[in-house]
Amino acid sequence: MFNKTGRQIIVETIQEPVSNVLKILGKPKAAPDGWRWTNHLVFQEVGEGTLAFNTLTRELALLSPEEFNNPDECPELGARWFRVPAQMDDKGSADLVRLVLESLHQRPEHVTTYHVFTTMDCNARCFYCYEKGRARPVMSVETAHKTADYVARHCGGNKVHLAWFGGEPLYNAKVIDVICNDLVERSVEYESSMISNGFLFDEKLIRRATELWRLRQIQITLDGAEDVYNAVKRYVDAGEKSPYRVVLANIQGLLDAGVRVMVRLNVSKTNCKNLLTLVDDLKTHFAGSELLTVYCAVVHEFEGIGIVPMEDEATQELFANIRLLDQRLEAAGLLKRRRLKNKLPMSQCMADSGSSLTVLPDGHLGLCEHYSEDNFVGSIDSDELDGAVVQSFRERFEPMPRCADCFEYPTCIRLKKCPSTAVCMPETIVLAKANIQANMLSIYNSKKSKMGV
Ligand code: SF4
Ligand code: SF4
């Protein structure tokens, strides 16, 4: 490949590296024992060569066949940290970069995201629900007023993001009205998202959601095609109608109202075939919808707060199913690929970000949606947060020996209190790699089509 002046371009950049990371890494050291690829690379072949993504520098580049096959002939690969001295400690460099960036990173001064549990009650009776067997408190109107007051006092005048959560948040929609009306009255800017089963919406409620609640995004879970979905959900208020059809109609209504809908498919090792039928059905209803995306999630068996580990064979089958479903979703145009983030994460999630709180139905404040009965950090009645509990949610697991040569290491944060990342399964890494590769391809293809190639 040549540039306009006819000079050969060495290593074509598709996504620029993070300049701060390059500054921290400095110039590559001498390589008395030669050079090798860094452990932080993910490769993906394309017609014109090989895409390489460096998970530490965040650079995505297209390597020509010559550069890929004879990398020692291309010094630029070393200068841009795709190749490193053979004796280099990759994990050590990633640790250094993270240490410096984290010491420079300032946690936000104000809490601007609130995950509000309007109720722990729900109109569905899914077998896998981690809330089963727990108490089902409901937020009172008085607590809703106090919640809005707390939000207004702690957002520092910034725009607030409200995430309605439950149970089923629509089962106590009146407190959403109360909180939003109070925020409007106090001129607090806000928008919201929701995790819901989507069953209780109707035309009027969708209008209220977009106008008063300023609902911009909703996540709705589908557990299977019509028969399976209806049998899994076991709605207590289903009446004569097929809940599956009601929810699909509501998804359409939300899309028509401009709400982004994320459909989550709960995948277990046994339901893949049925989910493939569901994907076909979703394609028939929603193909071409820009605001809809469908993605797969693993259904874990929970025991208390921990995940019950599965047998190896079952795990492999489960992840094979997810890969197959992802392919089918992508072919149907229902899976929207995410971009490759162009910075390294400084926190894992809402629990350690410092900008987010959960508000439980009784007004307790927490940090993680999985801890709704304990590990509170405060209450809406007080301006103080319990620093020790806040800190406990920031504690990370020490890396394991196998992390040293894992491509995920620069971005991998595992919190000791997080039930979702407590176990690092090889299948998860394989899936993460496949996702990065798919994202690399998507970015490359979109760049090519923009250039009219
Ligand atoms: S915990 Fe797992 S994913 Fe993270 S760096 Fe280690 S091996 Fe990789
Ligand atoms: S479950 Fe894990 S990822 Fe989710 S909020 Fe809690 S700590 Fe964060």
Side-chain angles (χ1 to χ4, degrees):
M1 184 141 322
F2 294 83
N3 68 11
K4 285 180 193 151
T5 61
R7 192 177 77 82
Q8 191 172 9
I9 295 172
I10 310 291
V11 186
E12 187 187 351
T13 298
I14 311 286
Q15 174 171 297
E16 293 289 339
V18 183
S19 59
N20 274 355
V21 174
L22 292 186
K23 275 187 207 147
I24 298 165
L25 287 170
K27 295 247 180 300
K29 311 276 177 302
D33 303 326
W35 295 82
R36 61 169 170 79
W37 297 108
T38 164
N39 291 337
H40 303 143
L41 282 183
V42 177
F43 290 114
Q44 172 64 51
E45 275 185 42
V46 286
E48 296 81 355
T50 304
L51 292 172
F53 177 60
N54 186 322
T55 58
L56 178 61
T57 67
R58 317 303 293 166
E59 179 169 1
L60 173 64
L62 173 66
L63 312 184
S64 67
E66 298 74 42
E67 287 156 356
F68 182 66
N69 294 320
N70 301 302
D72 287 337
E73 306 295 315
C74 180
E76 188 146 357
L77 288 171
R80 307 222 331 238
W81 295 95
F82 287 98
R83 303 273 292 169
V84 292
Q87 77 283 6
M88 202 181 95
D89 170 13
D90 294 36
K91 178 176 165 293
S93 344
D95 286 340
L96 173 73
V97 169
R98 289 217 321 207
L99 188 75
V100 175
L101 291 180
E102 280 175 23
S103 66
L104 295 172
H105 176 68
Q106 291 194 328
R107 283 191 199 275
E109 228 180 292
H110 301 286
V111 179
T112 49
T113 299
Y114 294 85
H115 294 250
V116 183
F117 288 67
T118 66
T119 174
M120 299 308 274
D121 205 357
C122 185
N123 53 341
R125 295 288 180 265
C126 314
F127 69 90
Y128 54 75
C129 181
Y130 65 87
E131 277 144 17
K132 69 185 168 188
R134 293 190 186 188
R136 295 179 171 237
V138 176
M139 184 177 275
S140 68
V141 167
E142 189 199 349
T143 304
H145 283 300
K146 286 206 252 172
T147 299
D149 183 52
Y150 186 93
V151 172
R153 281 188 287 121
H154 291 84
C155 67
N158 296 299
K159 183 174 181 180
V160 170
H161 180 80
L162 301 159
W164 311 113
F165 204 84
E168 168 51 48
L170 294 177
Y171 225 34
N172 189 19
K174 69 173 180 297
V175 297
I176 304 182
D177 294 342
V178 170
I179 294 171
C180 292
N181 277 321
D182 283 7
L183 291 179
V184 169
E185 229 170 78
R186 297 179 68 157
S187 304
V188 175
E189 210 189 325
Y190 66 90
E191 61 177 17
S192 75
S193 62
M194 178 180 281
I195 296 184
S196 163
N197 54 44
F199 179 70
L200 291 171
F201 276 111
D202 57 25
E203 210 179 309
K204 216 168 125 200
L205 193 57
I206 290 176
R207 204 170 320 117
R208 206 162 107 208
T210 50
E211 290 172 6
L212 177 60
W213 308 348
R214 303 181 193 167
L215 188 72
R216 304 288 179 254
Q217 181 172 302
I218 186 164
Q219 178 197 303
I220 293 176
T221 297
L222 295 178
D223 304 275
E226 187 162 8
D227 288 353
V228 170
Y229 177 84
N230 291 345
V232 170
K233 283 292 186 231
R234 296 185 295 140
Y235 285 101
V236 294
D237 48 2
E240 296 297 302
K241 293 182 188 158
S242 159
Y244 176 81
R245 288 170 192 242
V246 171
V247 172
L248 286 202
N250 287 340
I251 290 175
Q252 188 61 60
L254 287 157
L255 291 169
D256 292 344
V259 179
R260 187 171 293 279
V261 181
M262 324 264 294
V263 170
R264 172 183 151 129
L265 304 186
N266 273 341
V267 188
S268 69
K269 70 183 170 63
T270 50
N271 68 349
C272 182
K273 209 166 150 205
N274 185 265
L275 287 178
L276 288 169
T277 310
L278 171 63
V279 173
D280 290 341
D281 207 11
L282 292 176
K283 185 180 171 191
T284 310
H285 282 82
F286 305 114
S289 170
E290 282 296 313
L291 291 175
L292 181 96
T293 189
V294 187
Y295 69 99
C296 294
V298 176
V299 180
H300 290 296
E301 276 297 324
F302 287 93
E303 197 174 75
I305 198 70
I307 297 169
V308 181
M310 284 189 286
E311 299 297 324
D312 282 358
E313 215 171 280
T315 312
Q316 281 161 19
E317 204 174 323
L318 175 65
F319 282 91
N321 286 348
I322 290 179
R323 280 196 296 279
L324 180 63
L325 279 159
D326 274 352
Q327 283 163 9
R328 186 72 75 91
L329 286 169
E330 194 152 22
L334 295 170
L335 191 155
K336 310 279 186 308
R337 286 283 166 201
R338 294 193 187 151
R339 58 193 182 86
L340 296 164
K341 290 201 175 104
N342 55 4
K343 56 183 180 186
L344 290 175
M346 294 292 103
S347 56
Q348 183 196 257
C349 60
M350 58 194 263
D352 61 338
S353 71
S355 64
S356 184
L357 283 172
T358 58
V359 185
L360 281 304
D362 64 357
H364 271 110
L365 299 172
L367 288 172
C368 163
E369 58 201 30
H370 278 278
Y371 291 87
S372 57
E373 295 188 328
D374 51 26
N375 281 270
F376 302 126
V377 294
S379 139
I380 50 171
D381 294 321
S382 154
D383 287 337
E384 300 299 316
L385 292 184
D386 185 332
V389 185
V390 171
Q391 196 49 41
S392 71
F393 275 96
R394 294 181 183 166
E395 280 177 30
R396 300 175 180 181
F397 280 114
E398 287 300 318
M400 302 175 286
R402 66 189 160 102
C403 300
D405 52 10
C406 175
F407 69 92
E408 288 243 79
Y409 186 70
T411 53
C412 182
I413 298 174
R414 291 195 308 138
L415 302 180
K416 287 188 180 170
K417 276 196 169 169
C418 174
S420 307
T421 58
V423 188
C424 170
M425 292 186 285
E427 292 79 4
T428 323
I429 302 178
V430 172
L431 194 63
K433 190 173 192 172
N435 279 332
I436 291 178
Q437 288 170 318
N439 291 347
M440 289 161 68
L441 267 176
S442 155
I443 292 173
Y444 176 65
N445 287 332
S446 105
K447 184 166 180 180
K448 259 187 19 174
S449 70
K450 271 187 205 143
M451 290 167 68
V453 182

